[in-house]
Amino acid sequence: MMITSAFQVALLLSVLLAVAGMSWWVAPRVTTAEGFFRGQEPGYVPGVWTLTLSQVTTWIFARSLMNAALLGYFFGIAGTLAYAVYYGSFLTGWLIIDRLRFVHGYSNIQGFFSERFGRMGVVCYNLLVSLRLLSEVFANLLVVGIVFGVAGSGAYNLAILAVAGITLVYSLKGGLSASLKTDVQQMLILLAVLLVLLVMLISHSQFDLPALLVSSPGWGSPGWILLLVALLQVISYPLHDPVMMDRGFLADRDTTRKSFIQAFWISTAFIILFGLLGVFAGLHRQGEEELMVTMQRLLGMPAIFLLGLALIVSAASTLDSTLSSASKLAIVDMGMGRIHPNRGRVAMLLFMLGGLFMVYFGTRDLYAAVAVSGTASLFLTPIIIFCIWMNRRVAQWSFLINFLFAVGGSVIYFLETSGYVNWIGSWTGVEHDYSKLLILTLVILTVGLVSFWWGLERE
C-alpha cells in the first residue's frame, strides 16, 4: 500500500476530481461519427504537438511508470533501459503506418489483414488487439487501486470505481476528440510532477549518477536479458496497440512522421528518468524492502504522494485513449453496430465493465494479461517484414502456423510465470522468467519467419 493517511487519500481524490473537471471542460461534445471515432471535427486537424503529446501520454500509462521503476529497483540500469527499448515502438510504428497508409493505400489495419489474409486474418488480429485493450483497462485500474490501499479495502475499491467512472464520463462525451484534447493537459501535469520528483532525486545527499550507470554489472543479469527480448519484440509491439495505430491515421504524412519521432524521444527520456527513481531506491534497499517503502524512507511521503498523483493521472489519460480505440475497434473496424457515436458509447461502457470484471474476478497479477498479449503479438513480426515492408504475399497456411505458435507460446509463458508448469525450466535448465521469455521469443520468431519464407508466393 502506498498512500496511508486519510488526508492524503482525500487530497489525491480532490486532485483527481479537479483533473476530471478540467477534462470535462476541455472535452468537446461530439455528435458526429467522424469526430467520435476518428477525432476529425469540422475545422480542426490535430497538429504535430497535439498528436505528439497524445501519443506520449497514452504510452506513459500507470503500468509503464510502475514497471520502469520496479525494473530499475530490482535489476538496476539494465532493467530501466530494457523497458525504454519498448518505446522504440514509435519508430517501428511510424515505419509500419507509413508503408500501410501512404505506400500501400490502406485506411485502417483491418483493411490490410482482410485483403492479404481474408476473414481469418481479420479475426486473429481483432482477437489480439481486443485482449490488448482489455488488459490495458485492467492493468491501469489495478495500479490505481494499489496506490490507495490493499486489495479489497474501501479505499482500493473507491479509487478504482472513481477513476473508472470519471474517465468513462468524459470519454463518452467526446470519444477520440475528447481523448486528443485532454491528453495535452494531462501530459503537462505529468511533466510537472516528473520534474519535481527529479529535483528531489538529484538534490538528495546520496544521489550518485556514476553509481546509477553501473548498477547492472553482470551481463547475464535478468535486466540485460529483458533488453534482448525488448529488441526482438519492438518490431511487432506497435502493430498490436490500436491506440498508437489509430493516431497514425489522423494527419498528413509529414505531421504523422514528426509526431511519431517526437513521441519517441520524449517518451523514452520520460521512462528512463522515471526509472532512475527505481534504480536509486534499489541501490539503497535494505533487506527485503519493497520499492515504495524504500522510496518513502529516502525521499519522504511528499515523493510518494507525487508518485501516486503521476500514476492516477497517467491511468486516466490511458483509459480515455483505450476506450476511444475500443469503441472504434468494435463499431468501425469490426462492424458490430451502426457507425454512430451512441453505439461507440455502448462499446466503451462494455470494455470498461470488462476491465472491472478482470480486476475483481480475474488475476491480480499486474503483468499476466499484458505478458500474454505482448508475446502473442510476435506473430505480427513476419507479417510486418514480409508483407508490409517488403510487400510480398504469403500462403494462408504460413499465417496460421505463425499465429498458432505465437498464441501457444504466450499461453505457455503465462502458465510458466503463474507457477502452473515448469516445462521450459525442465527442458533447458533456465529458471528466471525473462530467460524463459527470451527462449520463447526466439522460438516463435524462428518458426514464424521460416514459415513465411517457405510460404512466399512467386512475384
Side-chain angles (χ1 to χ4, degrees), residues 242-362:
V243 176
M244 177 187 287
M245 291 294 99
D246 285 348
R247 281 154 177 75
F249 288 89
L250 299 180
D252 59 76
R253 189 175 194 176
D254 188 55
T255 299
T256 301
R257 174 182 59 83
K258 289 178 180 178
S259 68
F260 272 74
I261 294 174
Q262 301 277 35
F264 161 68
W265 72 261
I266 293 173
S267 60
T268 302
F270 205 112
I271 282 295
I272 290 175
L273 292 173
F274 203 91
L276 288 179
L277 289 167
V279 178
F280 172 72
L283 289 176
H284 300 90
R285 183 185 186 190
Q286 294 180 357
E288 297 299 316
E289 276 185 339
E290 294 183 355
L291 168 64
M292 296 308 165
V293 175
T294 308
M295 286 191 64
Q296 180 177 340
R297 177 171 52 81
L298 293 170
L299 300 175
M301 278 309 298
I304 300 299
F305 175 81
L306 288 173
L307 180 58
L309 176 59
L311 292 174
I312 290 173
V313 172
S314 62
S317 67
T318 302
L319 285 170
D320 63 37
S321 300
T322 302
L323 292 175
S324 64
S325 288
S327 67
K328 177 178 176 291
L329 173 68
I331 304 304
V332 178
D333 299 327
M334 297 176 68
M336 298 180 68
R338 184 167 60 92
I339 301 178
H340 188 277
N342 287 339
R343 298 297 177 92
R345 293 180 174 109
V346 172
M348 284 184 174
L349 177 61
L350 292 176
F351 265 86
M352 182 63 83
L353 291 175
L356 286 169
F357 181 86
M358 291 176 67
V359 169
Y360 287 107
F361 300 103

